[in-house]
Amino acid sequence: MTENTATQTRTPAIEVVGLRKSFGSNEVLKGIDLVVTEGEVVSVIGPSGSGKSTILRCLNRLEEPSGGTVVVSGIELTSTKTDINVVRQNIGMVFQHFNLFPNMTVLENIMLAPVDLGKKSKADARVDALALLDRVGLTEKADARPASLSGGQKQRVAIARALAMEPKIMLFDEATSALDPEMVGEVLQVIRDLAASGMTMVLVTHEMGFAREVCDRVVFMAEGVVVEEGTPEQVFGDPQQARTQEFLSKVL
Ligand code: ADP
Ligand code: MG
């Protein structure tokens, strides 16, 4: 296949096969298979400690898999030949804690990575950062310091900062879990808009109503394995596995 036809084929955005991860003798991922196609929004749900964060961290090699393969945008992450920094530029990640740089303004936080990594000139990065701030509804906070923002505003800046690298895929790990309840909605709205724009996303979330509304597919995992997956209607409305039923009876 030539490079040209390869990019036109509907390649999966993410293809995880037999992914295993152990920490010492503790095997936390026991052979995970997961395919996410371009533009798809997938939520990963499951009890605490089941390995959800570890999966996301293996997708951008914040953790090195113990076994299996992870292919992102057609590039095999698990190959030693792969330049992991190039792969990471295609994947934006948003965590529970925002980790903004406190000594920089909001605008500087968003401009930093594209300028530092030589992706954009300072002038271009500034124009793009302002557009992103508009997109997350925080234009008036461009020159503010993170400390002066609410939790919801900080998380929206963190999303804008991830988007500044123009990633093809966004990963969210419990992006609203650290927020006061009244700020959850504004962050979910930004994620909802991103989904509508066609962004490929994997969301680890405790917001079951949101997962049901926004996601194309829901993956339920427990104890390091995918127990069940399907459309939100299937998984929430008619779960097949006892483990899924038990979990949902506690959280819905
Ligand atoms: P979840 O996100 O579903 O709550 P995690 O992926 O964070 O679960 O963790 C799954 C398991 O892996 C847990 O038992 C956790 O203690 C363990 N774990 C995660 N990261 C590490 C690490 N860096 N070192 C040792 N154990 C870890
Ligand atoms: Mg987690």
Side-chain angles (χ1 to χ4, degrees):
M1 223 189 285
T2 67
E3 227 181 83
N4 207 16
T5 53
T7 53
Q8 284 165 15
T9 314
R10 280 182 56 101
T11 353
I14 298 170
E15 196 167 18
V16 173
V17 180
L19 175 63
R20 293 180 174 273
K21 176 65 186 177
S22 298
F23 295 104
S25 61
N26 183 19
E27 188 172 55
V28 302
L29 299 180
K30 299 169 181 160
I32 301 284
D33 297 325
L34 177 69
V35 175
V36 180
T37 56
E38 268 173 37
E40 199 178 17
V41 180
V42 174
S43 70
V44 180
I45 62 170
S48 181
S50 56
K52 305 182 298 296
S53 295
T54 304
I55 291 182
L56 289 196
R57 293 168 62 80
C58 286
L59 292 180
N60 61 2
R61 276 285 289 277
L62 288 174
E63 295 290 356
E64 195 173 336
S66 312
T69 55
V70 178
V71 179
V72 174
S73 304
I75 303 169
E76 182 168 348
L77 264 65
T78 26
S79 158
T80 49
K81 292 189 199 111
T82 299
D83 181 349
I84 196 62
N85 290 316
V86 172
V87 177
R88 280 195 191 135
Q89 290 183 22
N90 288 326
I91 309 182
M93 185 145 176
V94 176
F95 303 90
Q96 189 172 342
H97 298 286
F98 336 108
N99 307 320
L100 298 174
F101 298 105
N103 55 334
M104 294 181 193
T105 66
V106 162
L107 198 68
E108 287 164 349
N109 264 279
I110 300 171
M111 290 170 59
L112 184 71
V115 172
D116 264 18
L117 295 169
K119 188 179 170 76
K120 295 176 189 174
S121 71
K122 228 174 169 165
D124 287 348
R126 190 184 164 80
V127 170
D128 291 351
L130 285 167
L132 285 167
L133 273 181
D134 182 47
R135 195 162 158 190
V136 301
L138 288 172
T139 302
E140 77 283 9
K141 297 294 184 187
D143 299 319
R145 300 273 161 166
S148 71
L149 304 181
S150 72
Q153 291 170 335
K154 282 182 196 162
Q155 193 59 301
R156 285 188 279 155
V157 172
I159 294 170
R161 183 178 57 174
L163 291 173
M165 286 300 291
E166 298 175 7
K168 296 194 181 103
I169 298 165
M170 286 284 283
L171 309 177
F172 291 85
D173 193 356
E174 296 191 25
T176 59
S177 293
L179 299 177
D180 291 334
E182 73 268 26
M183 291 167 188
V184 169
E186 67 196 56
V187 173
L188 292 183
Q189 187 55 47
V190 170
I191 300 174
R192 195 179 278 120
D193 291 345
L194 264 179
S197 78
M199 177 69 80
T200 306
M201 301 202 279
V202 181
L203 313 166
V204 171
T205 184
H206 290 167
E207 303 283 343
M208 298 299 152
F210 181 74
R212 188 169 194 153
E213 169 206 332
V214 170
C215 295
D216 301 304
R217 194 149 49 90
V218 176
V219 173
F220 171 69
M221 63 178 298
E223 288 98 38
V225 297
V226 173
V227 173
E228 182 163 358
E229 65 174 294
T231 64
E233 292 71 28
Q234 288 168 334
V235 174
F236 291 117
D238 186 23
Q240 299 298 304
Q241 302 295 323
R243 188 71 188 83
T244 318
Q245 292 162 7
E246 181 202 342
F247 175 76
L248 291 175
S249 73
K250 288 183 188 143
V251 299
L252 286 183

